[in-house]
Amino acid sequence: MSVTPLAKAETVLHNVFGYQSFRQGQSEVIEAILSGKDCLVIMTTGGGKSLCYQVPALCFEGITLVISPLISLMKDQVDQLLTNGVEAGYINSTQTIEEQQAIEQKVISGQLKLLYLSPEKVMTSNFFQFISLCKISLIAVDEAHCVSQWGHDFRPEYTLLGGLRKTFPNIPLVALTATADPTTRFDIIHHLKLEDPHTYLGSFDRPNIRYTVQEKFKPVDQLIKFISSQQGKSGIVYCNSRKKVEELTEKLSARRFSVMGYHAGMTVQQRETVQNAFQRDNIQIVVATVAFGMGINKSNVRFVVHFDLPRSIEAYYQETGRAGRDDLPAEAVLFYDPADYGWLNKVLLEKPESEQRQIEQHKLQAIGAFAESQTCRRLVLLNYFGETRQIACQNCDICLDPPKKYDGLVDAQKVMSVIYRTGQRFGLHHIIAVLRGLNQQKIRECQHDSLSVYGIGKDKSQEYWISVTRQLIHLGFIRQNIVNHSALQLTEQARPILRGETALALASPRLSFSATAYVQKQQASKRYDKDLFARLRFLRKQIADKENIPPYVVFNDATLQEMAEFTPTTADEMLSINGVGERKLERFGDAFLTLIRAHLNRE
């Protein structure tokens, strides 16, 4: 009896990759590719995009080309494929000519099943001469949003990849990305010349990630408090400048956190050192600019903190998506100050007027609205990507700790009165200092300590008044004049508030919300043996160091948790654990089975 293509794919999934079944969307994409169709795959980070082309690659006779702009991802994925017993390689700018030629010979002789390439390499005449000697069965274009100027990481060289269709007219081409709004999706199909593609649009939801926005009061202290609550778990902290990366790394190191910095101003060797240390769990935290993380396949990142506001929802979504790729609980925390928004907007306005600038302004406004939203964070994200939902997620700061309303008229009048009496020429922090009656040199020089409004808000903290003032800005009663050093000025809408002619409900200032207690409660409900899990992780680290590979390449955290829950003691039982394939069982199974048996006997 003949085996169907999908049945063959399921055998590859189980025997090579160790998974019991396909995730949602994978089987229909794989079936379309195996039937020779082009595909456009929009699948969330950690949703299993790679398997959509890796499994067909092992079902086809020839070689699969994977085009990716992410050099770190190439090495990472090739390492994982080799660990699973799949012959794969990559060609990019980090290699010598001799190393590249050696890989090319392997490809020509048919030894490799997957070859990873950068888009720059693909667009050379040498590439077409070399590839004409090979049997190509499938072409995969990863991070396909880079083809569109509406994508958050537009790369002009990606638009040239449409030329592959002319060279390989009868070979299926699959484009994959985690982030693409409707306009970007249209651009991908157009520029890559996909022919009547099978389109899979998966959910953008990552339910295991908790989204939290904290107002920036004392950001370094807030960050230290949050990281301390993570108890040594892996995380990334994103900053918008190299200088801030270096300063923050220094401050965290001084507090004895296991941390290294990463930015584009470092040498290639320095960046590789940081990346390898993070991937191998030798450090807990990387403080980085957005130069870090593209293509990092590390599955056990438990938190991502944005110390500064990202430039778009797409960037925020992709960067937070580096947490919880193993589907276990993870946190995404954004520290937000409207001044960050004002600075980013000012930088944009200094650029020449163009369509691209308008696009960037549109995206910046969207992330600003997200940060200032009083509704479920997840709904804001999903609706932005066109995934219409109305039911709140119960896993973000807004849902877990809904804003409580109070009669804010008197507080608003106090803030507005100080702004008015000081001449509408001063920024947020000076206004609050006057409001609280602080003894500051600038206040004395301006004689603001003699005003009738001096100290009328001394009964409340600085954080309290920052929250109230920001709400008044969000509601349109106060504006920040970016041109005039972000001076606070009253709008026409402030008049009835000052006169007490209308009611005003404000959200009670949220000064200390933390989802940590919720996380701990959720994790307490997990049924796996925590002591055994810790022992399995220690064994994994020992094996990874000996094999010179990242720990998650051995087994990810989700696989170890399943072992700690079901405690397999035989090879067959171990193969029923998700993430344990035949090659990994052969290489690592005995050590883990021995540890589990010893643990059970000890009990």
Side-chain angles (χ1 to χ4, degrees):
M1 188 172 72
S2 62
V3 178
T4 66
L6 191 58
K8 186 176 180 181
E10 287 171 343
T11 301
V12 168
L13 180 77
H14 182 70
N15 292 347
V16 177
F17 297 99
Y19 294 110
Q20 308 306 307
S21 59
F22 286 113
R23 287 185 177 187
Q24 186 172 1
Q26 288 179 328
S27 59
E28 65 177 83
V29 170
I30 289 169
E31 199 164 17
I33 293 172
L34 292 176
S35 69
K37 284 185 70 70
D38 288 351
C39 289
L40 171 61
V41 181
I42 317 294
M43 194 176 279
T44 184
T45 302
K49 289 189 298 296
S50 301
L51 284 178
C52 287
Y53 59 80
Q54 289 175 347
V55 170
L58 300 182
C59 294
F60 286 134
E61 284 188 9
I63 189 168
T64 291
L65 302 181
V66 184
I67 299 158
S68 171
L70 311 176
I71 289 175
S72 59
L73 180 62
M74 291 184 192
K75 182 179 186 308
D76 209 20
Q77 292 208 346
V78 167
D79 282 347
Q80 293 205 46
L81 286 166
L82 292 172
T83 304
N84 281 317
V86 177
E87 291 301 323
Y90 59 84
I91 297 176
N92 62 42
S93 57
T94 66
Q95 298 164 306
T96 64
I97 296 295
E98 291 74 21
E99 286 172 331
Q100 292 186 16
Q101 288 174 344
I103 294 293
E104 287 179 0
Q105 285 305 312
K106 280 189 171 185
V107 176
I108 293 168
S109 64
Q111 293 178 53
L112 297 189
K113 291 299 294 180
L114 292 103
L115 176 65
Y116 287 76
L117 300 151
S118 65
E120 296 84 359
K121 177 69 178 177
V122 172
M123 289 297 105
T124 62
S125 57
N126 286 343
F127 165 77
F128 285 103
Q129 289 174 13
F130 145 65
I131 214 66
S132 65
L133 303 172
C134 311
K135 179 177 172 54
I136 308 300
S137 56
L138 172 64
I139 299 173
V141 178
D142 206 1
E143 307 295 335
H145 60 269
C146 295
V147 81
S148 172
Q149 65 175 345
W150 277 95
H152 66 281
D153 194 23
F154 175 53
R155 301 189 181 216
E157 65 270 17
Y158 245 60
T159 60
L160 302 174
L161 293 177
L164 290 169
R165 168 58 68 217
K166 189 175 180 181
T167 308
F168 305 104
N170 301 316
I171 290 171
L173 197 155
V174 54
L176 310 101
T177 180
T179 50
D181 58 21
T183 309
T184 303
R185 297 198 286 270
F186 174 83
D187 276 1
I188 292 171
I189 293 171
H190 171 70
H191 287 302
L192 294 182
K193 296 180 171 51
L194 302 182
E195 296 176 357
D196 187 26
H198 170 84
T199 300
Y200 176 77
L201 179 59
S203 173
F204 286 92
D205 192 10
R206 294 284 304 282
N208 61 314
I209 296 179
R210 174 170 302 104
Y211 298 104
T212 302
V213 178
Q214 289 188 16
E215 290 187 271
K216 257 187 184 179
F217 298 122
K218 299 173 182 173
V220 175
D221 291 345
Q222 287 172 282
L223 179 64
I224 288 170
K225 184 178 179 183
F226 172 76
I227 292 175
S228 297
S229 75
Q230 295 302 299
Q231 301 175 325
K233 296 171 185 171
S234 289
I236 304 171
V237 179
Y238 283 112
C239 303
N240 279 352
S241 71
R242 298 176 186 180
K243 182 182 178 186
K244 200 172 288 187
V245 164
E246 291 169 355
E247 290 173 351
L248 203 51
T249 302
E250 195 173 313
K251 287 175 181 175
L252 292 177
S253 292
R255 295 296 293 264
R256 300 191 180 281
F257 287 111
S258 173
V259 59
M260 295 176 81
Y262 184 108
H263 58 68
M266 298 163 64
T267 66
V268 172
Q269 187 174 6
Q270 286 172 325
R271 294 202 301 272
E272 282 183 359
T273 298
V274 175
Q275 191 163 300
N276 287 336
F278 185 60
Q279 285 182 308
R280 298 183 183 198
D281 289 347
N282 293 330
I283 57 170
Q284 177 198 358
I285 305 154
V286 172
V287 180
T289 58
V290 294
F292 180 78
M294 288 293 284
I296 292 298
N297 211 23
K298 183 177 168 69
S299 62
N300 65 331
V301 176
R302 296 270 67 87
F303 64 88
V304 169
V305 176
H306 281 89
F307 197 76
D308 299 312
L309 184 71
R311 287 171 166 77
S312 70
I313 282 184
E314 286 91 343
Y316 171 78
Y317 178 82
Q318 186 158 42
E319 287 152 17
T320 56
R322 287 162 196 155
R325 293 174 68 110
D326 51 13
D327 287 339
L328 299 179
E331 293 207 52
V333 178
L334 167 61
F335 293 147
Y336 178 63
D337 182 342
D340 291 346
Y341 178 91
W343 180 79
L344 289 172
N345 193 54
K346 184 171 180 287
V347 170
L348 269 180
L349 292 175
E350 289 170 356
K351 291 184 177 182
E353 176 65 49
S354 66
E355 184 185 8
Q356 191 63 35
R357 191 182 88 172
Q358 289 177 353
I359 290 170
E360 289 175 24
Q361 283 181 289
H362 166 84
K363 292 184 177 294
L364 180 60
Q365 288 164 5
I367 188 66
F370 167 80
E372 295 171 4
S373 172
Q374 293 276 21
T375 57
C376 169
R377 306 285 179 200
R378 199 174 310 272
L379 291 183
V380 177
L381 288 175
L382 296 178
N383 286 315
Y384 177 85
F385 287 115
E387 188 174 335
T388 307
R389 287 198 198 179
Q390 283 77 42
I391 300 173
C393 73
Q394 307 307 318
N395 195 25
C396 71
D397 58 319
I398 298 292
C399 291
L400 295 172
D401 186 22
K404 297 175 180 65
K405 297 290 185 179
Y406 78 107
D407 181 356
L409 182 62
V410 173
D411 281 350
Q413 288 173 328
K414 287 180 179 180
V415 173
M416 291 176 180
S417 296
V418 174
I419 292 170
Y420 182 75
R421 296 290 180 189
T422 54
Q424 305 189 71
R425 295 184 293 111
F426 296 90
L428 175 69
H429 292 287
H430 182 79
I431 295 300
I432 290 172
V434 174
L435 187 64
R436 297 182 64 223
L438 300 188
N439 181 19
Q440 292 183 347
Q441 183 179 347
K442 186 177 178 182
I443 289 176
R444 295 194 299 272
E445 287 174 354
C446 296
Q447 298 184 340
H448 289 162
D449 53 342
S450 63
L451 296 173
S452 60
V453 293
Y454 177 70
I456 59 172
K458 62 185 176 185
D459 59 325
K460 300 289 196 306
S461 69
Q462 179 186 15
E463 291 86 355
Y464 181 94
W465 287 117
I466 287 176
S467 179
V468 170
T469 307
R470 285 176 178 167
Q471 288 185 66
L472 297 175
I473 294 169
H474 301 163
L475 293 169
F477 300 123
I478 299 171
R479 73 185 182 102
Q480 282 183 297
N481 189 331
I482 296 169
V483 177
N484 188 20
H485 308 292
S486 294
L488 300 186
Q489 299 171 344
L490 304 182
T491 66
E492 278 297 314
Q493 288 74 23
R495 289 181 183 274
I497 301 294
L498 273 170
R499 293 172 179 161
E501 296 171 352
T502 183
L504 178 64
L506 293 177
S508 296
R510 314 177 68 196
L511 307 180
S512 60
F513 170 71
S514 170
T516 303
Y518 182 89
V519 175
Q520 290 171 345
K521 181 180 176 184
Q522 190 181 58
Q523 290 179 339
S525 66
K526 296 282 184 182
R527 292 172 296 171
Y528 66 89
D529 184 326
K530 307 295 190 300
D531 181 39
L532 177 55
F533 176 67
R535 292 167 182 269
L536 292 169
R537 287 192 73 197
F538 183 73
L539 173 61
R540 177 182 67 179
K541 183 74 170 81
Q542 288 181 310
I543 292 172
D545 289 347
K546 184 179 177 183
E547 298 274 344
N548 198 25
I549 54 178
Y552 60 86
V553 172
V554 179
F555 294 121
N556 65 31
D557 279 7
T559 298
L560 296 189
Q561 280 195 12
E562 213 172 297
M563 288 183 196
E565 181 177 354
F566 296 106
T567 58
T569 56
T570 67
D572 284 345
E573 288 176 357
M574 186 64 95
L575 279 173
S576 70
I577 300 293
N578 274 300
V580 183
E582 290 179 351
R583 180 64 183 272
K584 283 192 176 181
L585 176 67
E586 185 183 315
R587 285 184 68 179
F588 312 126
D590 284 347
F592 285 89
L593 285 168
T594 300
L595 189 152
I596 292 167
R597 291 184 196 120
H599 180 81
L600 292 174
N601 290 333
R602 193 168 59 101
E603 292 180 340

